[in-house]
Amino acid sequence: MDNRVEFVEIEQPCDMHVHLREGELLRSVVRDSARSFDTILVMPNTRRPILTGKDAEDYRLEITQWTPGLNVVSAIYLTPETTPDLIEAAAKTGVKAVKFYPRGATTNSGHGVRLETLGDPWSALEPVFDTMAQLDLILCLHAEDPDVPLLERETRALKTVTALATRHPRLRIVIEHATTRAAIEVVHGWSNIWTTITAHHLVLTTNDVVGNHHHLCMPVAKSEDDRRALLDASMSGHPRILFGSDSAPHLNATKNRAQGAPFGIYSAPVALPLLVGVFAAYGRTDHLQQFVSDAARELYDIERRPRGTTARRVVYKPWTVPNDQDPHWFWADRRLDYALA
Ligand SMILES: [Zn+2]
């Protein structure tokens, strides 16, 4: 069955989870995001982490000097030192989200807090969560327990996440980059839990990661059954399921190290065409707008810009993703049926 569409137009596409790094690397990657997306939520685990509203403001300026039209939504990094006052001050500068990294789970997560903190009702961070709920700040969670084997990390973390969601029914929580059927079931079961899904987790399983370090990211891609659950979820039109690329560039010299290669897939240049191809294959391009834009605009209360001015058009135009880029592009040497117009 040929489900080819000639083109798709997405109004105000949003990537609600992207790593842009700093300095030279930021400069070289940020335009790739701006080409595909109108709005991005930028992650705060830079080498010098984004801890306060002031840090977030400075970072936003660093980003938009290269991409003036890009709508940057800011997050700060949750650490053991984060206080309600700090949250309040950050909210005043326009910060909309707070990112939780379990300490040691992924790139630059050394400032994070321990996962147990979330499940512990006597944790020092409880007042922080109360303040976030009051001010409508969103908690973005890297939901993995770093103390268990790789493929079990997400499912193990879910119990802790739901305990937090139950204790704070007004706190809106996003399970970032869900990779399991279990995570999707949690989203269906808790009205204050959302999830982002990446493009690469719609096309990879664990088998594709073994033998190709360019497919290595945290959380690692899971089974075919999990991938099916992510596909169904992203194409379902569910209001609490949204796109976040988790595009995470590393320069090739670092990524190709034989020992200790960092985690992260650089998908920004291909994510939107890849998504269109996946949705088109299932005849569900009618739900792209919801997944790549509407769900995010609703959750993050993103200002709706005038219709037409922020749209991106993706057309049927087969091409082969180049293999000579630095950082290395996801899906290199593979064919994509769609391209940005
Ligand atoms: Zn990430």
Side-chain angles (χ1 to χ4, degrees), residues 192-211:
N192 57 332
I193 298 184
W194 278 248
T195 191
T196 55
I197 296 177
T198 73
H200 54 267
H201 289 123
L202 295 179
V203 294
L204 298 179
T205 66
T206 314
N207 294 1
D208 303 301
V209 181
V210 178

Side-chain angles (χ1 to χ4, degrees), residues 286-306:
D286 57 331
H287 278 173
L288 265 170
Q289 180 66 38
Q290 170 67 28
F291 179 59
V292 188
S293 178
D294 295 354
R297 294 194 290 188
E298 179 71 29
L299 173 60
Y300 286 94
D301 193 23
I302 293 163
E303 187 199 345
R304 280 165 199 255
R305 306 213 245 179

Side-chain angles (χ1 to χ4, degrees), residues 247-283:
S247 179
H250 294 282
L251 287 172
N252 293 343
T254 320
K255 182 73 179 169
N256 294 339
R257 275 199 307 241
Q259 293 281 328
F263 309 115
I265 288 176
Y266 183 47
S267 64
V270 299
L272 196 60
L274 183 59
L275 278 180
V276 171
V278 169
F279 276 58
Y282 289 90

Side-chain angles (χ1 to χ4, degrees), residues 116-132:
E116 296 80 64
T117 315
L118 295 181
D120 176 4
W122 294 279
S123 150
L125 288 175
E126 285 294 296
V128 168
F129 298 136
D130 286 334
T131 307
M132 285 175 59

Side-chain angles (χ1 to χ4, degrees), residues 161-316:
V161 173
T162 53
L164 180 72
T166 306
R167 258 193 346 273
H168 295 273
R170 283 194 53 212
L171 179 64
R172 293 183 294 169
I173 298 171
V174 182
I175 296 175
E176 294 296 335
H177 38 56
T179 57
T180 57
R181 183 175 289 280
I184 300 302
E185 280 164 8
V186 162
V187 174
H188 286 294
W190 270 262
S191 62
N192 57 332
I193 298 184
W194 278 248
T195 191
T196 55
I197 296 177
T198 73
H200 54 267
H201 289 123
L202 295 179
V203 294
L204 298 179
T205 66
T206 314
N207 294 1
D208 303 301
V209 181
V210 178
N212 187 343
H213 71 296
H214 291 297
H215 293 165
L216 187 58
C217 64
M218 289 293 164
V220 73
K222 304 296 191 306
S223 71
E224 179 59 16
D225 179 63
D226 291 309
R227 190 181 77 90
R228 300 296 316 187
L230 301 179
L231 278 169
D232 289 344
S234 59
M235 293 186 284
S236 68
H238 192 288
R240 294 196 310 280
I241 295 174
L242 53 144
F243 176 65
S245 70
D246 198 17
S247 179
H250 294 282
L251 287 172
N252 293 343
T254 320
K255 182 73 179 169
N256 294 339
R257 275 199 307 241
Q259 293 281 328
F263 309 115
I265 288 176
Y266 183 47
S267 64
V270 299
L272 196 60
L274 183 59
L275 278 180
V276 171
V278 169
F279 276 58
Y282 289 90
R284 290 324 309 246
T285 51
D286 57 331
H287 278 173
L288 265 170
Q289 180 66 38
Q290 170 67 28
F291 179 59
V292 188
S293 178
D294 295 354
R297 294 194 290 188
E298 179 71 29
L299 173 60
Y300 286 94
D301 193 23
I302 293 163
E303 187 199 345
R304 280 165 199 255
R305 306 213 245 179
R307 205 181 152 71
T309 58
T310 62
R312 299 291 188 280
R313 196 178 166 95
V314 178
V315 297
Y316 183 81

